[in-house]
Amino acid sequence: MRRIIAAALLVFACAACNQQGLVQGSTEDPPEETPVSEEPTPAPTATPADPVDPIATPLPTPVPCAFYGIGAGGDLWIIDPAAVTAQLVGNSNLQNTSDLAVTADGKMIVITLTAAYQLDPTNAQAYPYNSGAWVQGQNALDVTPDNRMLVGGGGALTFLGSGPTFDVLPFGSAAWSGDVAVMGDIAYGSALDNWEGPDHLIRIDLVTGSVAQYGSFTAPGIFGLDVACDGSLYALTQGSPSEGILPRVFHVNPANGAVTELGDLVGPTRLWGGAGPVVPPV
């Protein structure tokens, strides 16, 4: 019996030692936790893109063989004159855009009555090109195969830089208006009729300087005129949104000045210029 009691006391004493050891071990301080910041890590600051300089950084070139139209409110269109369809590219946010042209080195130039701009042909974004008007009342523009710009306004056509100036309206019945289209050494232009009749077709020999009244359109307001990729000469009327009149497309035969109406152009409401490729394929 005493042995049993002694054994029990021994077990109790060992248990007490172990418990004391456990309590002493638990009094150690826990490791400190790294505080978590509630402030978000700032993202790297993006460097703003520099504005595009179309001279230092060339803009995209126009769609090969495309025929473009420009609206009075700066809206740029790709037009298929043979199919009489139009697709909007974008808006340049310019006003009174009176014509456009595509240069031999792939620039799209648009003019207003007071300045000139280069357009990005993918979205119609405009960049300053010339701060003033080249000629008074400029409203016609085209480019020769050797990349000379021909600008019309105020009753005359002139080459920029060097070259002759042509008095394109020796006719009392017409007033210079719409557009000019270069086909080799010959340029064709449209002119308003002073008696509110159909526009006149003018033929200008760029070598000899001779000017002739070559034919007549069947409608007024021919403000777009140029050569398309198929080698044909096409004309566009401006249209009249207030009267619900759509722009119309015409085919012009350079051999005899005959004009054929092709139909109404759905999409644009007021076109003030047209431009095809500089040198259409043969």
Side-chain angles (χ1 to χ4, degrees):
M1 184 68 178
R2 290 178 181 176
R3 289 182 181 178
I4 295 175
I5 294 173
L9 291 174
L10 180 61
V11 172
F12 178 80
C14 291
C17 291
N18 290 338
Q19 184 177 6
Q20 184 179 7
L22 290 174
V23 172
Q24 290 176 347
S26 64
T27 59
E28 296 180 2
D29 294 333
E32 294 184 0
E33 296 184 1
T34 303
V36 178
S37 173
E38 296 181 359
E39 295 292 330
T41 303
T45 302
T47 303
D50 293 331
V52 174
D53 180 350
I55 297 176
T57 305
L59 296 175
T61 55
V63 175
C65 271
F67 191 98
Y68 288 89
I70 191 74
D75 42 315
L76 179 66
W77 300 80
I78 291 180
I79 296 172
D80 186 334
V84 195
T85 59
Q87 178 181 355
L88 180 64
V89 175
N91 199 300
S92 64
N93 294 316
L94 300 173
Q95 294 298 318
N96 298 318
T97 41
S98 54
D99 204 6
L100 80 165
V102 175
T103 66
D105 55 352
K107 295 183 178 70
M108 178 176 284
I109 307 300
V110 63
I111 56 174
T112 67
L113 298 177
T114 58
Y117 300 85
Q118 183 175 347
L119 296 188
D120 183 331
T122 65
N123 56 18
Q125 177 68 46
Y127 300 89
Y129 189 80
N130 194 65
S131 59
W134 286 308
V135 297
Q136 183 179 4
Q138 60 186 17
N139 54 20
L141 182 68
D142 205 8
V143 180
T144 61
D146 59 356
N147 214 28
R148 291 183 298 162
M149 270 197 242
L150 189 62
V151 185
L157 280 174
T158 185
F159 282 105
L160 294 185
S162 61
T165 296
F166 308 97
D167 182 5
V168 297
L169 291 173
F171 318 108
S173 62
W176 179 253
S177 67
D179 205 351
V180 61
V182 176
M183 297 185 75
D185 293 330
I186 303 297
Y188 296 89
S190 58
L192 287 173
D193 185 82
N194 286 338
W195 307 104
E196 299 183 356
D199 278 17
H200 298 253
L201 178 64
I202 308 298
R203 184 181 186 273
I204 307 106
D205 189 313
L206 299 177
V207 177
T208 67
S210 65
V211 180
Q213 190 163 229
Y214 199 53
S216 178
F217 295 95
T218 58
I222 303 293
F223 286 179
L225 185 68
D226 213 344
V227 184
C229 201
D230 62 4
S232 297
L233 181 61
Y234 291 98
L236 310 170
T237 64
Q238 66 166 333
S240 177
S242 63
E243 300 176 276
I245 299 175
L246 295 173
R248 281 182 277 175
V249 182
F250 297 84
H251 177 270
V252 181
N253 187 340
N256 55 19
V259 176
T260 303
E261 183 173 347
L262 301 180
D264 293 340
L265 191 61
V266 177
T269 58
R270 199 172 188 189
L271 286 174
W272 275 13
V278 174
V279 185
V282 178

